Amino acid sequence: MKNNSVVIENHYQQLNPFQGLVIYRPVDPTNRKPVGIVLMHSDEAYYGFIPAPELAQRGYTVFTAAVKRSEETLDQKILDVKAVVDYVKQDDAIKKFLLLGHSGGATLLSAYQAIAENGAHIFQTERQVVKLTDVGDLTPADGVMFLDSNFGNGVMELLSLDPGLTEGDSARYLNPKFDLTSPENGWCGDHGEYSSAFIRAYQQAQAERQQKLVDDALARLNAIEAGQGKFKDDEPLTIVGGQQFAPCNKLFPQDPTLLQHTAKPWDLIHADGSISNEVIYSRRLPRAAQQFVQLNNLSTKQTTVKNFLTNFGLRTKGFGYDATHVYGIDWDSAYCNTPAMSDIFKCQR
């Protein structure tokens, strides 16, 4: 593979029967920096993610990996990262390594780094919805990079929940009070102009549904641990209107006045290399409001009790958001919240 003036190569490496990685690096050893980059997502296989060859062209050795299964507990995914890091540490040419997480990858890698630096005990308190299991000693990275990080998979789940279900396991009948496509609620054909009352009610209903999901899942976890579950190890859990990936995010994608700009000025790097200090505005276009909740294959999350609680379970109190802020998230209630993890670890980022 050739990229500009540096010829790079890639090859697949099997780590274990269920996990592998693709390694990108310059062909000529003299072009290789002594720095490795572990690039992962929380759910998807990023073997061909564009930054990997681009970074290799710049001299880095990039280890693109996948978790064993997307429907693992977050604890298990952290151990999947450990397997990759342990492999990287065996390479004598790599003197330092960085973690690179894109989108949901920031959820996974920020949790890994926080635990690696501080130990598992920081997420084994009464503050967490569920306590982290013993994942052993983890090797901390020398630095962490996030590309287009989300708020953490737990918060993205909350932002994607459909509050209009009238039956918990069916999307056949929806409450018109929360219909984002309704002109009566503020839909204007290609974007939403929702009232503050509608926004507040919608967000409150999302938080109430999240709370019920967490409480119900904890009740089933207690039954499992007491030997009274449907299975000995875990139980299936179906969440209608619960997928958290981009097409299923709700409210703020339709109304561009929400999460619209930074609260204060930041340095903005322009295409010509100049830098200005200003309030940064989102460039996103409004996304059409559609009733994806009624499409099972797109919007229904098929998970398990333990997977939901570790990957998405969090607490809220007075949840809401406006043009600049997200409010009412108990960031410390879970280790699937990227902002809380980033406040804990001390490495460069």
Side-chain angles (χ1 to χ4, degrees):
M1 182 183 298
K2 188 173 183 179
N3 194 327
N4 295 332
S5 61
V6 175
V7 178
I8 62 175
E9 63 184 6
N10 64 70
H11 70 275
Y12 179 82
Q13 175 67 45
Q14 192 75 29
L15 289 181
N16 53 60
F18 304 100
Q19 189 180 18
L21 53 86
V22 175
I23 303 170
Y24 293 80
R25 64 184 180 184
V27 172
D28 185 348
T30 63
N31 289 327
R32 299 175 190 169
K33 303 178 188 293
V35 178
I37 298 175
V38 173
L39 195 167
M40 294 183 68
H41 189 268
S42 57
D43 302 287
E44 307 295 335
Y46 267 30
Y47 297 143
F49 193 48
I50 292 298
E54 290 291 333
L55 288 165
Q57 193 274 330
R58 290 158 176 79
Y60 298 98
T61 300
V62 185
F63 303 83
T64 64
V67 296
K68 292 178 182 177
R69 295 184 302 110
S70 63
E71 286 304 326
E72 295 179 313
T73 65
L74 184 53
D75 309 39
Q76 292 167 322
K77 292 178 181 181
I78 289 166
L79 292 176
D80 293 342
V81 179
K82 180 182 186 298
V84 180
V85 170
D86 289 348
Y87 178 86
V88 172
K89 296 299 290 182
Q90 296 174 18
D91 190 334
D92 293 335
I94 303 296
K95 305 305 180 184
K96 291 186 176 182
F97 79 95
L98 311 175
L99 301 176
L100 174 55
H102 168 253
S103 188
T107 302
L108 173 60
L109 297 183
S110 63
Y112 173 92
Q113 185 69 15
I115 297 163
E117 290 189 12
N118 299 279
H121 69 276
I122 61 171
F123 300 127
Q124 295 173 338
T125 74
E126 296 304 317
R127 184 73 180 269
Q128 282 77 50
V129 171
V130 288
K131 297 179 181 180
L132 176 71
T133 57
D134 185 8
V135 294
D137 294 330
L138 308 177
T139 302
D142 298 289
V144 176
M145 299 182 288
F146 297 145
L147 296 178
D148 197 19
S149 169
N150 61 26
F151 292 108
N153 287 343
V155 176
M156 298 314 297
E157 168 80 2
L158 171 61
L159 295 174
S160 303
L161 284 176
D162 195 300
L165 301 185
T166 57
E167 300 176 11
D169 60 352
S170 172
R172 189 168 185 176
Y173 303 106
L174 302 175
N175 187 342
K177 175 182 177 181
F178 299 115
D179 185 357
L180 294 174
T181 70
S182 170
E184 293 182 1
N185 291 334
W187 182 245
C188 298
D190 61 355
H191 70 284
E193 294 182 6
Y194 306 114
S195 68
S196 58
F198 176 83
I199 291 171
R200 187 71 196 98
Y202 196 95
Q203 294 168 342
Q204 182 177 350
Q206 285 183 308
E208 290 173 353
R209 186 173 180 216
Q210 170 75 10
Q211 184 68 60
K212 186 176 188 309
L213 286 169
V214 169
D215 290 344
D216 290 349
L218 285 172
R220 294 314 307 161
L221 179 64
N222 290 336
I224 294 167
E225 293 178 342
Q228 299 175 355
K230 299 175 183 177
F231 299 87
K232 291 183 177 180
D233 56 343
D234 204 347
E235 285 185 4
L237 178 63
T238 299
I239 305 175
V240 178
Q243 282 288 15
Q244 88 279 8
F245 65 103
C248 293
N249 299 162
K250 296 175 179 66
L251 188 60
F252 74 89
Q254 288 74 44
D255 188 340
T257 66
L258 296 170
L259 303 179
Q260 184 186 44
H261 58 85
T262 59
K264 62 181 181 179
W266 292 84
D267 286 346
L268 175 63
I269 303 175
H270 298 270
D272 62 2
S274 62
I275 300 176
S276 61
N277 187 262
E278 59 187 83
V279 171
I280 311 299
Y281 280 80
S282 170
R283 300 294 297 273
R284 77 180 192 273
L285 298 175
R287 183 179 299 139
Q290 301 182 49
Q291 294 290 17
F292 285 141
V293 66
Q294 294 183 316
L295 301 177
N296 176 69
N297 289 340
L298 181 63
S299 70
T300 300
K301 179 184 291 297
Q302 300 286 2
T303 184
T304 73
V305 168
K306 291 182 178 180
N307 294 346
F308 169 73
L309 288 171
T310 58
N311 284 295
F312 309 106
L314 55 79
R315 298 288 192 193
T316 65
K317 185 177 181 180
F319 165 70
Y321 57 90
D322 53 27
T324 59
H325 288 83
V326 177
Y327 304 95
I329 302 291
D330 183 353
W331 296 102
D332 295 325
S333 66
Y335 43 98
C336 58
N337 295 327
T338 306
M341 302 305 99
S342 300
D343 286 342
I344 293 172
F345 57 74
K346 301 298 189 294
C347 72
Q348 293 184 357
R349 54 191 186 274

